Amino acid sequence: MRGIPVASMVIGIASSPAARRQLAQLLGGTEAFLIVSSVDQAREFLGAAETPTAETTVETMQTMTVDVAPATVASPATPALVIDSDRRVARWLDREIELTRLEHDLLLCLMGAPGRVWTYERLHLKVWGNKHLGRGSDMHSVVRRIRRKLATLDASATIDSVRGVGFRLASA
């Protein structure tokens, strides 16, 4: 099969909407991915009833699945920085801080793709749910509070500003 391009796709299985959102953030840098809520849906997508190789693929995928605690995201660039969405706290090593809803949502976005620049417009749409940017002071205020909170944790993760564009999560 030389010369035939091979396309890759990741299929994720997550039963709850929160787990599917988390999985989508973790897979955000992946070229192509599909998230389904059950193994049956994955089998249906792969056409497992007609092709035994697809069923084998699903079974292999199940054994290779990494368990992720629901609503907890750890950033690959900063492995010790963890957000517990159920309790709305950020944890660095053995210390934690409480986050407001906006702080939580904004930090969760940035942690979903560490090092990647999130534009002001995209962050505003994802966190506030609308395209209105105004002067952007609302976003800058939230980022300032998160920076202070990360500093109180002595976390090596920082939020960098990209002038005129947006923000990115960086680790020192």
Side-chain angles (χ1 to χ4, degrees):
M1 299 222 300
R2 280 189 204 169
I4 299 173
V6 177
S8 302
M9 183 166 84
V10 175
I11 299 176
I13 301 172
S15 58
S16 73
R20 285 192 291 276
R21 281 191 299 274
Q22 176 186 3
L23 195 53
Q25 288 178 335
L26 290 172
L27 296 173
T30 308
E31 194 168 313
F33 63 90
L34 170 71
I35 299 175
V36 295
S37 60
S38 69
V39 174
D40 293 332
Q41 280 185 335
R43 283 189 177 124
E44 184 180 329
F45 175 77
L46 293 171
E50 295 85 62
T51 51
T53 55
E55 188 171 301
T56 307
T57 304
V58 171
E59 289 171 4
T60 304
M61 181 177 62
Q62 285 177 318
T63 60
M64 296 175 66
T65 300
V66 177
D67 290 330
V68 178
T72 302
V73 177
S75 166
T78 54
L81 182 61
V82 177
I83 292 184
D84 182 341
S85 292
D86 290 335
R87 295 177 44 230
R88 244 191 224 140
V89 296
R91 189 171 32 257
W92 177 259
L93 302 174
D94 60 343
R95 301 173 68 194
E96 62 183 38
I97 52 167
E98 292 183 12
L99 299 169
T100 66
R101 183 193 67 81
L102 293 174
E103 293 166 349
H104 167 270
D105 293 352
L106 195 139
L107 189 55
L108 199 60
C109 286
L110 296 175
M111 286 182 66
R116 187 172 120 215
V117 177
W118 280 73
T119 65
Y120 298 125
E121 184 177 276
R122 189 159 173 237
L123 274 172
H124 210 280
L125 184 62
K126 184 84 171 165
V127 177
W128 280 265
N130 59 43
K131 290 186 180 184
H132 174 71
L133 285 174
R135 295 187 329 257
S137 58
D138 52 352
M139 187 178 308
H140 288 280
S141 175
V142 172
V143 168
R144 188 172 31 255
R145 290 193 320 256
I146 295 171
R147 284 176 174 155
R148 266 190 244 130
K149 290 181 177 188
L150 290 175
T152 63
L153 290 177
D154 293 325
S156 66
T158 60
I159 299 176
D160 294 342
S161 296
V162 179
R163 188 176 188 145
V165 179
F167 296 101
R168 76 171 148 235
L169 185 71
S171 68

